[in-house]
Amino acid sequence: MFHLEDEVLLPFERKHIPEHYLPYYQAKRSNFFASVQSSPRLWQYYQLLDKILIDEFDDMSTAHDPNRMFPLALFFNAHAKIRVSLELAFSHCMEEARSTLRDAIETAAFAHYMLSDPTLQRIWLNKDEDQGSAKAFAQAFEKDKKAKLFNGLDALYTQWGRMSETGSHSTPQAIVTRFKMVETTTSVQYRMNYTGVEERKWEPETFTLLLIVSQIEQVVFEDFKSRLTFDESLLQNRTRASGLREELRQQIISKHGIKPPKQKTQPGTPSTQSP
């Protein structure tokens, strides 16, 4: 396991990071390096997904259809958020990672939705023009998101909701694990855990975040498939990523003893589980 020592910090960092901030900064750095070292295949999978997205964007960098370039720019923005999210995840800042990935999901959904109707781009761009434009935006993009914005993206909609409850919003699920209560004979102290999560929780959760990234990449590929399907190297990397994903899935299930979810019993169907 990697242990952060003084030589890991650059002279500039040691000089300019104040003493009160240094423990937090060191913890994030230590967690990041330890995560890459302890889960190299997970890091490899993330880097492969990142390379795939970059190659897809390179393939589409020359404009052929003006109506498709603005949605592509939103996909670029989603990728930027993905990178920040996974850097936070590998630093064990899971709540912040989920919050940022939620933004990436929503941004990708906006891009995908706009490709279905170019007039939606004008509505999005004119949102702040006047009250009528704001209402048009709300009607087009905010009302009934599942049926409109996330139409055809059911899996991403489900994850968007989960990321909202466990990352973006101030719900018990999002913050309760961050606090620690230390009791002594004379007092009770509350402490905030800014970074850090047990590996048995961190690795499966980070893999789940990468599954979401894979789903976003699938949306990008399908939306621009007519051009991307001719990139043989890209197709080979996508096949490699699929194989590595399933390898990691089985490895994490075995390593952490993850049980399969219980099957929900339909009304009127006899249960096969023991009482």
Side-chain angles (χ1 to χ4, degrees):
M1 182 65 68
F2 180 87
H3 294 285
L4 184 63
E5 299 177 355
D6 288 342
E7 61 265 24
V8 174
L9 296 177
L10 297 173
F12 177 87
E13 293 171 316
R14 290 196 294 268
K15 178 180 179 181
H16 292 283
I17 297 177
E19 183 177 354
H20 80 276
Y21 194 81
L22 196 59
Y24 165 72
Y25 186 81
Q26 286 180 322
K28 283 184 66 180
R29 289 283 295 274
S30 179
N31 288 339
F32 182 85
F33 291 125
S35 297
V36 173
Q37 186 179 51
S38 66
S39 301
R41 298 290 278 173
L42 198 65
W43 175 254
Q44 181 185 354
Y45 179 49
Y46 166 46
Q47 289 303 302
L48 185 54
L49 288 175
D50 189 80
K51 177 73 164 60
I52 288 169
L53 283 166
I54 286 293
D55 288 347
E56 288 173 341
F57 295 151
D58 285 344
D59 286 347
M60 298 180 292
S61 59
T62 302
H64 291 281
D65 182 353
N67 289 327
R68 302 179 72 80
M69 291 312 296
F70 183 67
L72 181 58
L74 286 182
F75 278 127
F76 291 166
N77 186 260
H79 178 233
K81 292 178 182 293
I82 286 170
R83 283 183 161 179
V84 173
S85 172
L86 268 296
E87 286 175 7
L88 287 167
F90 275 88
S91 300
H92 288 211
C93 298
M94 298 309 299
E95 287 78 7
E96 289 75 19
R98 289 191 289 264
S99 179
T100 307
L101 192 58
R102 173 194 180 273
D103 294 343
I105 294 171
E106 189 170 73
T107 303
F110 271 91
H112 176 74
Y113 185 38
M114 289 182 191
L115 285 170
S116 67
D117 183 358
T119 62
L120 292 169
Q121 298 179 38
R122 292 196 295 272
I123 294 173
W124 192 92
L125 288 168
N126 294 333
K127 174 188 174 183
D128 299 322
E129 289 292 322
D130 50 45
Q131 189 174 4
S133 298
K135 288 183 178 180
F137 176 87
Q139 179 68 27
F141 291 97
E142 295 179 343
K143 184 178 180 181
D144 198 3
K145 282 188 174 183
K146 183 176 182 180
K148 293 182 179 179
L149 183 61
F150 284 92
N151 183 33
L153 306 177
D154 292 347
L156 281 178
Y157 178 77
T158 298
Q159 292 294 352
W160 176 79
R162 191 174 79 86
M163 297 297 104
S164 299
E165 292 301 310
T166 61
S168 296
H169 298 163
S170 297
T171 65
Q173 294 183 67
I175 65 176
V176 71
T177 58
R178 308 293 296 270
F179 290 95
K180 290 186 177 181
M181 187 172 64
V182 181
E183 295 188 49
T184 69
T185 56
T186 58
S187 66
V188 177
Q189 294 182 342
Y190 290 96
R191 296 180 182 176
M192 174 70 172
N193 185 18
Y194 284 91
T195 180
V197 62
E198 297 176 10
E199 183 181 359
R200 66 182 180 86
K201 295 181 179 180
W202 170 81
E203 198 170 40
E205 177 64 17
T206 301
F207 179 67
T208 298
L209 299 187
L210 288 171
L211 292 180
I212 296 172
V213 175
S214 177
Q215 291 169 0
I216 293 174
E217 185 279 324
Q218 181 68 26
V219 174
V220 175
F221 183 82
E222 292 297 331
D223 281 345
F224 295 90
K225 190 173 183 177
S226 61
R227 293 178 63 185
L228 297 178
T229 194
F230 295 103
D231 186 336
E232 185 176 350
S233 176
L234 172 67
L235 298 181
Q236 290 174 350
N237 277 336
R238 297 186 83 244
T239 300
R240 283 180 57 210
S242 178
L244 182 54
R245 178 178 66 245
E246 296 313 309
E247 175 189 321
L248 276 167
R249 190 194 306 275
Q250 296 307 315
Q251 174 186 317
I252 290 172
I253 289 173
S254 176
K255 179 179 178 180
H256 299 285
I258 299 173
K259 304 295 183 182
K262 293 182 179 180
Q263 296 294 327
K264 293 184 178 180
T265 304
Q266 296 294 329
T269 303
S271 175
T272 60
Q273 297 184 8
S274 300

